[in-house]
Structure formats: structure tokens, C-alpha cells
Amino acid sequence: MICFEKASNFIKHSGEEDDTEFGVAMSPKKQPTVVLSNGVEMPMIGFGTWQLSGEAGKDAIKTAIRSGYRHIDTAAIYENEAMIGEALKAYNHLAAIENALQLLGTHYIDLYLLHMPPMMHDGLTIEDVWRGFERLYDLGLTRAIGVSNCSYAQMEKIRKIARIPIQNSQNECHVFFPAHDLQAYCQRHNIVLTSFATLGSTHRDQFPAFKWVEGHPSPLNNQYVRAIAEKHGKSPAQVLLRYMLDRGICVIPKAASHHRIAENIDILDFHLTADEIKKLGSLKEHIRYFTFSEFKDHPDYPFANCSSAKRSIGVIYGH
């Protein structure tokens, strides 16, 4: 028998017990439960799996979970434990983070982010995923939890149910897309903001999984960026990174060459003036490079109300 319960989840079948965590929220339709002699709650309505197998069986399990079942019955003689396990992987945040820890070779992750809502497994809401993240935090597998590429509405959904608040938001942010409103939102709710694509993600077109607008200008070549760089004796990249730090925003620039790697961190010996920050935050270009247009029709697409994303998508699809 597999049971999902609000805070402590367990697997018990055929005389064996093993604690596990699934991060699946209780169904909006509150399930009646009974309390076992050791205090553990068991949902009274269970889902039987005898004679379920293969892809049809996986589909039935997923449908059951989406329908509100939080008690799944199985036994060794059914010979379907592996199939059930595969179906439940979509709801098992613990398995995902343990895989990441194994690949990274560490015992915990400092910051674990819910990345791009349309990529959530079928049947999960953003609230479901966040509750799963909170369990990972409780277990000490991550020191902080946050989001990436989420809209205000999606962050508000999380805030309304969160026991542990959003601690970091990672989003595209650069001089052509300064995200002042997002920064203000994060400051109001004590969320640290991290910028990606700070330098314009020059080689983004080398990632073929996404569609890109050809010919978008690079902030590295902007005349004001270059003039400020010359004034301070720095490179344009260093000015773009310093601009974020002076706004209190974290940066995560990618580089491959030794020179660029060293240059990108050599930005601690100067500051931009208030006028320079204001100028860089009010350039005429308004560009979102990362539109994730492949998900534009998904109900959880986060940029449906972003005018910069709409413009880029229009170019990509010839609208």
C-alpha cells in the first residue's frame, strides 16, 4: 500500500516498510482518513492495482493521482511495483534531487529552483511542486528554495500556500530588459533576485532546442555601455555585470576561456555612478532574449503578458 499524506508519507506493502517523500499535495477534495494505532493517517479511499501493468497501468496510476487518490494498493504477487514506481516518479521530488546530488557528488544543494512552470510533470500544479520543495528543505537536502522563469501570478500562488517562502528568483535581466518591476516585487517580499543573460547570452543560438530571434543587438556593443567601460578602464562585460551588482542583483555569467572567467569576477574595484545606473536602466531597446516560445500555448506559460516576449514571438513565428 502506498499512501500520500500531508506531511509524512510512507510506503507499506506485503510486510515491508520504507519511508519516502513524494511532495504531492492533498487533493482539493479532502479525503476521509482513519488513524492507525501508531498515529499515522491512512486515506479511506484507495486505488487498486491488481492486473494493472505496462503503459496503460502507468496512465491509470497518474489519472488516479490527478483524480485525488492518495492511497494506492499493491503487492509483490501483482508484479507491478516497478510500473507503479515509474508512474510515481513524476511526483517524486526526492528522487529528482537525489539524482542531482549523486551527479554533483555532494550531500546537499545550496539553492534548489523550480525552473520553468510549463516543464512541470503532467498533473502537478505549481503549489504541488512547492510543497514538495518544502519537504526537501525540511530534510536538509537543500539550504534554500526558489523559482526561475515564473510570473508574478505564479509566485503569488506559491506565496499564498507557502510554509517556507520563496527565497530566490532567477530571471532574465540585463540593460535591454532591466526588470525594474520584478526587482521591486522581490524586494517587497524579501526575495533575492538573480540575473541570467546579463551579457546578452551571445551564443544562445548554439542551443538548438529553442527558437531565437536572429539579429537582436547585443548589450556588449551598446554605445553607452562601451563609453562607460572606457571611462572606468573596464570591458563592456564588466560594466554590465557591475550594473547588476550595484542594483543589488546577483549574476551568474557563463564563460569558457580563462581570460573571460577571470575578467567576469574582476569587477569589485569600481562602482557605477547613480547617473550611469539610471542611463543603463532606461535604454531604448526592450528585448527579452529567452521567450521559451515552444511553451507559448501552455496554460502555465509565464510570459503571456510580457510585451517584450510577445514581440519576440511575433518575429519568430512571423506574426
Side-chain angles (χ1 to χ4, degrees), residues 53-308:
S53 63
E55 291 302 316
K58 290 181 188 178
D59 183 66
I61 296 294
K62 293 178 181 179
T63 300
I65 293 171
R66 289 196 297 269
S67 298
Y69 288 89
R70 294 298 182 263
H71 169 169
I72 299 173
D73 179 75
T74 186
I77 198 171
Y78 297 175
E79 298 182 342
N80 62 6
E81 298 103 319
M83 176 275 293
I84 293 172
E86 285 294 316
L88 293 178
K89 279 183 179 179
Y91 306 94
N92 194 342
H93 303 297
L94 182 60
I97 197 170
E98 283 185 336
N99 182 58
L101 292 174
Q102 183 176 11
L103 293 173
L104 292 168
T106 185
H107 298 297
Y108 66 89
I109 289 173
D110 290 300
L111 175 61
Y112 202 52
L113 301 181
L114 187 167
H115 198 292
M116 182 47 67
M119 297 181 72
M120 295 186 300
H121 289 290
D122 183 36
L124 287 181
T125 67
I126 200 166
E127 294 95 334
D128 290 333
V129 176
W130 191 256
R131 289 186 179 101
F133 273 41
E134 290 177 328
R135 296 298 298 134
L136 302 179
Y137 181 90
D138 291 338
L139 290 168
L141 296 176
T142 180
R143 296 174 63 202
I145 51 179
V147 299
S148 178
N149 296 310
C150 283
S151 67
Y152 297 117
Q154 288 164 337
M155 288 191 282
E156 281 299 297
K157 285 183 178 181
I158 291 173
R159 285 195 346 100
K160 287 179 180 178
I161 59 91
R163 177 171 52 84
I164 299 167
I166 299 170
Q167 292 152 344
N168 177 256
S169 180
Q170 184 183 117
N171 290 270
E172 178 175 348
C173 186
H174 44 77
V175 293
F176 292 166
F177 193 76
H180 294 300
D181 290 345
L182 175 61
Q183 184 179 18
Y185 176 92
C186 289
Q187 289 173 337
R188 284 197 303 274
H189 300 297
N190 197 29
I191 301 169
V192 170
L193 180 59
T194 298
S195 157
F196 72 77
T198 314
L199 307 182
S201 193
T202 307
H203 302 296
R204 60 188 179 278
D205 58 351
Q206 295 179 10
F207 189 76
F210 295 144
K211 295 181 173 66
W212 309 99
V213 174
E214 296 182 5
H216 263 161
S218 168
L220 292 166
N221 297 324
N222 180 267
Q223 59 176 325
Y224 297 107
V225 173
R226 288 187 165 276
I228 293 170
E230 184 176 354
K231 172 187 170 183
H232 289 278
K234 293 291 183 178
S235 71
Q238 289 173 315
V239 167
L240 293 171
L241 294 169
R242 186 71 242 185
Y243 167 67
M244 289 298 166
L245 291 193
D246 284 342
R247 288 179 55 192
I249 299 172
C250 301
V251 293
I252 47 172
K254 186 270 294 182
S257 74
H258 293 186
H259 171 71
R260 296 298 185 197
I261 292 169
E263 179 183 271
N264 287 346
I265 202 170
D266 184 23
I267 57 175
L268 306 179
D269 57 353
F270 79 109
H271 289 273
L272 301 183
T273 67
D275 287 342
E276 289 168 341
I277 294 171
K278 183 178 180 180
K279 179 63 180 178
L280 292 176
S282 57
L283 300 178
K284 65 179 181 178
E285 293 88 351
H286 297 282
I287 300 170
R288 182 189 279 275
Y289 296 112
F290 287 79
T291 63
F292 301 100
S293 61
E294 292 73 14
F295 304 111
K296 63 183 177 63
D297 297 321
H298 193 285
D300 291 316
Y301 181 63
F303 308 138
N305 296 320
C306 175
S307 58
S308 295

Side-chain angles (χ1 to χ4, degrees), residues 25-33 43 45 65-70:
M26 285 293 288
S27 169
K29 300 175 183 176
K30 174 65 176 176
Q31 299 296 310
T33 62
I45 305 173
I65 293 171
R66 289 196 297 269
S67 298
Y69 288 89
R70 294 298 182 263

